[in-house]
Amino acid sequence: MRMDRAELCLCLESLAQITRIELIDILKERGMTIKEMLEKTKLNRTLLTYHIAVLERAGIVNREYVQKDNKVVAVYKLDRERLKEILDELRKIVE
């Protein structure tokens, strides 16, 4: 599927921040809840949820609801296929 330039720009803008790159690095191992990510970062909840929302809007992170400890919680997962699409689009531009 071909990504248009506006969509590619949205994705690249979402990656143009060190905190988001660090979150991608954290999520590459497995999906995590906000609470789990808070334990691995120095971010406060508001800032963390903001950065996750930016990545989610770009389709780089997906949210899935799961049952955990008798509660439904959101688990955020890295969408590796989306990252590959972004890289493929960049390759097309430079080739």
Side-chain angles (χ1 to χ4, degrees):
M1 182 175 140
R2 185 145 173 96
M3 185 182 300
D4 68 26
R5 294 283 168 101
E7 185 179 0
L8 178 60
C9 285
L10 173 73
C11 293
L12 294 175
E13 287 171 0
S14 74
L15 295 171
Q17 216 284 343
I18 193 165
T19 300
R20 294 183 208 129
I21 297 297
E22 290 169 351
L23 289 171
I24 288 170
D25 194 40
I26 289 169
L27 290 173
K28 74 181 179 191
E29 298 300 320
R30 65 179 178 88
M32 292 186 191
T33 64
I34 292 291
K35 182 179 177 183
E36 290 170 324
M37 285 186 275
L38 283 169
E39 292 169 359
K40 292 194 167 276
T41 67
K42 295 177 182 174
L43 301 173
N44 64 48
R45 180 176 290 273
T46 302
L47 198 52
L48 176 63
T49 55
Y50 168 76
H51 287 297
I52 288 295
V54 171
L55 292 170
E56 196 173 9
R57 257 191 316 278
I60 295 168
V61 168
N62 296 317
R63 182 184 342 181
E64 181 180 302
Y65 291 96
V66 298
Q67 187 80 26
K68 188 173 183 175
D69 300 326
N70 295 321
K71 293 188 281 188
V72 176
V73 295
V75 173
Y76 297 87
K77 296 182 177 185
L78 184 62
D79 188 334
R80 294 175 191 278
E81 288 305 311
R82 181 64 166 178
L83 286 172
K84 288 177 187 175
E85 286 175 15
I86 296 165
L87 288 172
D88 288 344
E89 289 301 317
L90 288 172
R91 281 188 194 101
K92 290 175 190 172
I93 291 170
V94 298
E95 290 177 347

